[in-house]
Amino acid sequence: MAGNNSGLINTGEIVTIVSGSSRYPDTLTENLHTLTQRVLADLGQDQVQQQLRSGHPLPVHCRAAPEELTGGRNGARETSAALADASPLDLAGPLKNIAAVYMEESRSQLLVLGRAGSGKTTLIRRFAQARLEDADWTGKELVPVIFSLGSWDPTATSLRDWLIDRLERDHPFLARRRRYKRTWATELIVMGHVLAILDGFDEMAEDLYQPALRHLGAFNLPLLLTSRHEALRGIKPSEGLFPGIELTDLTFDDCSARLDASTGWAPVLDRLSSHSGEPAAARLATVLTTPLMLTMAEAFHASGGDPECLLKLAESSSQDALEKRLLDAFVPRTYDPVLNLSVPERRRWSAERAGHWLGYLATHLKKQKTDAQKPDAHAIGAQDIEWWQLGTTMSLPARMLVSGGLCGLVSGTAVALVHALMSDPPAALLSMFLNVLGIGLAFGILHGFASKIEVGGAFKPSRMQIRVRGESRRVRSRRVRESLLPRVGGGLAGGLVFGIVFGGGFAVYAMLLSYPWPLVALLLGNWLVAGPLLGLAAGIVVALVAWLETDAKPEESVSPTDLLRTNRTIVLVQAAVVGLVLGLGYGTAVTHFNGFALGLPAGIGTGLAAAVGGCTLTAWGRWVVLVRLWLPLSGRLPWRVNAFLDDARARGVLRQAGAVYQFRHARLRDRLAEAHRQHDQPTEGGSR
């Protein structure tokens, strides 16, 4: 029933809820309906793109999960065991067999096992879509939502809290509070209205497997978990986890039906079906038994590769080498300008350059996962390409140097220009040098402090939006009160650090010039007072800007680009107001005591430093500094990062999952990372 829209829930009511820009969903039913439509739209878009690229998905085979993983808790064993003798599951169909296994167990929990590339993620995405499109759906059942488990740290956050956080990130309208109580996302998770589909248990850091299993064993809400078999070795056979199925290999008939249309495969398939006992033929046949590798074999042939050379390679290479050869063909096939004539000319990146950039993204994720295994680190998204995390795998000193240098350069140059217009050029050059050094050092250290305080070393984007209208005065006043203490406290702390570093720098400079000690102490004391005062003012201003912040509306999409654009607006408004208020205030104070000649450059420098420096201490500002400037300058990402990521999604290399991107195939991601580390990027002719 994948193509039958008659089973959608109360479409008329949904349209009213989603398209009505003047009101938010205010009841449990309305929020569930809106969430259902959002999930269904995302899944449907992904399926359409996948079919446009490769036709209908392959069928998969399954059997009952091993008893050592399910134990005596496998109440659905008879049902799932029957699947072993049933016809293959058609991923383009309604997946009623899987639904039967899932519904058999009263706790509504199911385990889906499978080796790399066996189709686990495709299965659960079609399962979620099929349940929502079922003609028997009443709208009162659980709403299936897919969560990528690789970013969960069970030693720091409970599974329930992590699910709530991810639901609010990908569906910000659920972050609204219910009349001063918990958010709607909390309500849906805690009350069991969401079927949490946890994808990729094996993507977590290995040292987190055991604490994660303890959380899962105690979790009594609906869920569906996917994993590789080896990641669940810590389960005791006497305990088990919950009922499950295991995806098995494709049959030769599945492979031949997919490849036979390509005449170049005919002689190879004849040798594979001859049962001659050739080690090379057996090795290649084993490689082609997963949906991923079968798809890669199609890409290999489409990019000009000769299937006969795979048999020759199999004679002298391992199964892993064969898989790498097939994976290396994917990027050249995907970015071939002849095979992708529909791609706009402005987005036709070469396979070599695209492979290099994708390799950096894959390495970024792999490094995050590796860092998460360190004792003092947190498990961050090894699956999710989060724009606010990009660049954070650079060393902290490097990030401090780049961010501080930019702040100092912008502010110092502006002050120098004003000095040059009002006084002699040598004084302007000296002023520029001192301000670049002082402001850059101060904000660089601030960046380091903020990175250490933030979990995972990256700033989180705001889930709010800037609107002049849309909410009542009571709600806006409450939001200002709630944000006042945290923002003022942050401003005070930042101002104190700035005053110590900047004032200390000027004190050292004065000492080098042999200034009298009282004057040195006066310079230091001046900034020890001025720094916290400026920070206090900045915190108050940012807190007052919360009056303009409103919750996201349900009809607004939550793509990575939309989240980035929303945060850009918030940051620019805050920076403009803070820079204007602090610049005018400090410039007026200096003018009063020292005259206009010093007050004007001081005000301009302070305003620009506060605005630019404050920006770099936000998720969007860090993204601008590292991802839009530094990483393209160093050749690790393209200048049009957003266009490249969106294009990679359209080509099928990435998928969009709420507010983040993910590699569609984990095995491909790992191969791209490996090739990037070895400086062995696949090229247009490299797979032949």
Side-chain angles (χ1 to χ4, degrees):
M1 301 179 182
N4 182 12
N5 292 329
S6 62
L8 296 180
I9 331 164
N10 300 327
T11 52
E13 183 179 355
I14 295 297
V15 169
T16 302
I17 296 172
V18 174
S19 62
S21 59
S22 60
R23 96 178 185 93
Y24 295 92
D26 199 33
T27 66
L28 177 63
T29 301
E30 289 177 343
N31 279 280
L32 283 173
H33 284 179
T34 306
L35 177 62
T36 298
Q37 291 299 101
R38 294 290 295 270
V39 172
L40 190 57
D42 292 341
L43 292 172
Q45 181 183 32
D46 182 73
Q47 185 195 23
V48 168
Q49 291 173 345
Q50 190 173 13
Q51 289 183 354
L52 287 174
R53 288 188 302 271
S54 58
H56 292 288
L58 284 164
V60 296
H61 303 263
C62 64
R63 63 190 176 201
E67 290 189 20
E68 62 265 22
L69 299 182
T70 59
R73 301 174 64 179
N74 197 352
R77 169 157 291 280
E78 293 183 1
T79 307
S80 57
L83 292 176
D85 301 323
S87 58
L89 296 171
D90 182 5
L91 293 183
L95 303 183
K96 290 186 177 294
N97 290 335
I98 298 295
V101 178
Y102 169 74
M103 296 301 295
E104 182 74 15
E105 174 69 14
S106 59
R107 290 181 60 184
S108 298
Q109 296 180 334
L110 180 67
L111 175 65
V112 177
L113 295 174
R115 63 190 182 105
S118 60
K120 299 185 296 296
T121 300
T122 302
L123 175 67
I124 61 166
R125 295 181 76 84
R126 281 297 302 120
F127 168 75
Q129 184 176 2
R131 279 186 58 76
L132 294 176
E133 290 181 341
D134 196 320
D136 296 329
W137 180 273
T138 64
K140 298 180 180 179
E141 290 89 347
L142 307 180
V143 180
V145 181
I146 299 174
F147 301 88
S148 298
L149 206 56
S151 58
W152 174 40
D153 180 3
T155 64
T157 310
S158 69
L159 179 58
R160 185 171 302 177
D161 290 342
W162 179 79
L163 291 174
I164 292 170
D165 179 74
R166 283 302 183 266
L167 200 60
E168 292 177 355
R169 183 197 72 180
D170 294 335
H171 305 282
F173 73 95
L174 294 177
R176 293 177 299 109
R177 295 189 177 276
R178 297 188 57 200
R179 303 180 186 277
Y180 302 100
K181 298 180 182 179
R182 57 193 183 189
T183 64
W184 278 108
T186 305
E187 178 76 11
L188 298 186
I189 294 293
V190 171
M191 300 307 295
H193 295 292
V194 171
L195 164 57
I197 301 180
L198 309 179
D199 187 26
F201 179 88
D202 51 280
E203 291 291 335
M204 301 175 64
E206 291 185 10
D207 60 342
L208 298 179
Y209 286 170
Q210 288 302 316
L213 287 174
R214 288 194 292 271
H215 278 273
L216 289 168
F219 196 72
N220 59 359
L221 294 175
L223 67 85
L224 191 153
L225 176 69
T226 74
S227 177
R228 300 182 193 179
H229 188 286
E230 56 269 21
L232 301 177
R233 286 192 301 262
I235 297 178
K236 298 179 180 179
S238 59
E239 297 178 357
L241 198 57
F242 32 79
I245 60 171
E246 183 175 18
L247 303 187
T248 58
D249 293 341
L250 296 173
T251 65
F252 178 78
D253 290 339
D254 296 327
C255 299
S256 60
R258 190 66 173 252
L259 299 175
D260 197 29
S262 303
T263 56
W265 284 99
V268 175
L269 291 174
D270 289 340
R271 291 182 62 179
L272 296 183
S273 64
S274 63
H275 305 289
S276 61
E278 295 179 69
R283 195 172 292 123
L284 179 57
T286 302
V287 168
L288 297 178
T289 54
T290 63
L292 172 61
M293 286 302 149
L294 190 56
T295 303
M296 294 297 143
E298 291 181 297
F300 173 83
H301 188 233
S303 62
D306 184 3
E308 289 280 358
C309 81
L310 292 177
L311 274 175
K312 295 179 182 178
L313 179 63
E315 294 174 357
S316 58
S317 302
S318 63
Q319 178 179 332
D320 184 61
L322 276 171
E323 292 181 351
K324 288 180 179 179
R325 173 61 70 89
L326 292 175
L327 290 166
D328 287 345
F330 185 74
V331 170
R333 164 66 177 84
T334 306
Y335 285 88
D336 190 318
V338 177
L339 298 176
N340 296 275
L341 294 175
S342 60
V343 177
E345 185 68 32
R346 59 187 175 85
R347 292 193 175 186
R348 290 186 184 179
W349 290 282
S350 69
E352 184 175 4
R353 296 175 68 194
H356 173 72
W357 296 327
L358 291 169
Y360 172 78
L361 293 173
T363 305
H364 164 79
L365 297 181
K366 294 293 288 183
K367 190 175 187 302
Q368 284 185 315
K369 185 174 180 179
T370 302
D371 290 345
Q373 298 182 25
K374 297 178 181 179
D376 59 344
H378 294 272
I380 47 183
Q383 292 172 288
D384 298 340
I385 302 175
E386 301 167 327
W387 57 260
W388 58 96
Q389 290 274 17
L390 288 176
T392 56
T393 49
M394 295 170 56
S395 66
L396 182 57
R399 281 181 272 149
M400 294 168 61
L401 179 63
V402 173
S403 299
L406 178 67
C407 294
L409 188 63
V410 172
S411 305
T413 302
V415 173
L417 289 175
V418 176
H419 270 299
L421 293 175
M422 302 185 65
S423 62
D424 57 314
L429 289 176
L430 179 62
S431 173
M432 177 179 179
F433 173 76
L434 293 176
N435 279 282
V436 168
L437 186 62
I439 295 174
L441 181 62
F443 274 103
I445 292 176
L446 272 175
H447 186 98
F449 273 107
S451 297
K452 285 295 184 181
I453 293 173
E454 287 286 342
V455 174
F459 304 156
K460 293 182 179 180
S462 171
R463 293 164 183 170
M464 308 301 291
Q465 297 183 351
I466 292 290
R467 285 196 186 92
V468 178
R469 300 177 180 178
E471 288 187 326
S472 66
R473 181 176 300 178
R474 176 178 57 83
V475 174
R476 293 180 184 270
S477 299
R478 173 172 57 85
R479 185 170 290 118
V480 171
R481 290 195 302 270
E482 290 176 349
S483 65
L484 185 62
L485 286 179
R487 297 186 181 188
V488 169
L492 274 172
L496 179 60
V497 172
F498 184 88
I500 293 174
V501 176
F502 195 74
F506 267 99
V508 171
Y509 176 71
M511 291 170 60
L512 293 176
L513 295 180
S514 301
Y515 278 35
W517 283 102
L519 183 57
V520 173
L522 181 62
L523 281 173
L524 179 60
N526 175 61
W527 278 105
L528 288 180
V529 174
L533 287 178
L534 289 173
L536 175 64
I540 293 175
V541 171
V542 174
L544 293 177
V545 173
W547 180 273
L548 300 176
E549 298 176 4
T550 63
D551 293 307
K553 292 189 176 182
E555 71 270 12
E556 295 168 343
S557 62
V558 200
S559 68
T561 303
D562 293 329
L563 183 61
L564 179 66
R565 188 181 300 113
T566 298
N567 275 261
R568 178 186 63 194
T569 302
I570 292 177
V571 171
L572 289 179
V573 169
Q574 292 176 342
V577 176
V578 167
L580 183 62
V581 172
L582 265 63
L584 285 175
Y586 188 73
T588 301
V590 173
T591 299
H592 176 74
F593 291 104
N594 300 295
F596 184 74
L598 292 177
L600 180 61
I604 292 176
T606 300
L608 280 175
V612 178
C615 280
T616 63
L617 299 177
T618 66
W620 177 79
R622 172 179 282 181
W623 178 84
V624 170
V625 173
L626 299 181
V627 183
R628 291 293 284 120
L629 296 176
W630 183 251
L631 292 179
L633 278 172
S634 59
R636 283 171 278 188
L637 284 178
W639 288 103
R640 294 181 294 159
V641 178
N642 287 339
F644 176 72
L645 292 174
D646 187 63
D647 178 70
R649 177 197 59 80
R651 293 174 186 264
V653 183
L654 305 177
R655 73 158 57 91
Q656 180 184 320
V660 301
Y661 291 108
Q662 298 172 346
F663 277 93
R664 188 172 291 276
H665 307 295
R667 184 72 176 86
L668 175 65
R669 177 202 63 203
D670 295 344
R671 173 55 186 159
L672 286 169
E674 179 184 7
H676 187 269
R677 288 193 297 268
Q678 298 173 349
H679 301 285
D680 182 25
Q681 297 300 327
T683 61
E684 287 83 350
S687 62
R688 296 174 190 266

